[in-house]
Amino acid sequence: MKLRLQDAGDDADDPVLSLVNLIDVFLVIIAALLLAVAKNPLNPFSDEKVTVIRKAGTPEMEVVVKDGRKIEHFKGDGASQSAGRGVKAGTAWRMPDGSLVYVPD
């Protein structure tokens, strides 16, 4: 009886090929995540000075300032809580060329 060898070119049923394709997909996902972290303005590995304003114009506004590795958060009190507490500190004048000049009292 003769034993026939299977055709060596038929790799359609090889389970290792699907595993290799799955690893390729995960490598692409990891590369995309690394790019997203690198593009983030609050990246902990950069020494840039960045200011981010969240929920601008609302009472819950938050300002995040990153200077090197130091990150500070400033939260707004809300317009209703600070209404009427301020004191006039000076006057601002708009000049004909569009610039502003502050004159303290």
Side-chain angles (χ1 to χ4, degrees), residues 29-52:
I29 291 172
I30 289 171
L33 289 174
L34 286 174
L35 285 174
V37 168
K39 296 282 183 175
N40 188 357
L42 296 178
N43 182 1
F45 303 112
S46 70
D47 291 333
E48 296 180 31
K49 183 170 183 174
V50 179
T51 303
V52 177

Side-chain angles (χ1 to χ4, degrees), residues 52-56 58-64 73-76:
V52 177
I53 301 174
R54 296 181 182 173
K55 299 180 185 178
T58 64
E60 298 87 26
M61 183 171 74
E62 180 181 1
V63 179
V64 180
H73 295 269
F74 302 101
K75 293 188 178 187

Side-chain angles (χ1 to χ4, degrees), residues 6-19 21:
Q6 291 182 351
D7 186 16
D10 187 21
D11 290 333
D13 296 334
D14 192 6
V16 176
L17 289 179
S18 62
L19 181 64
N21 288 338

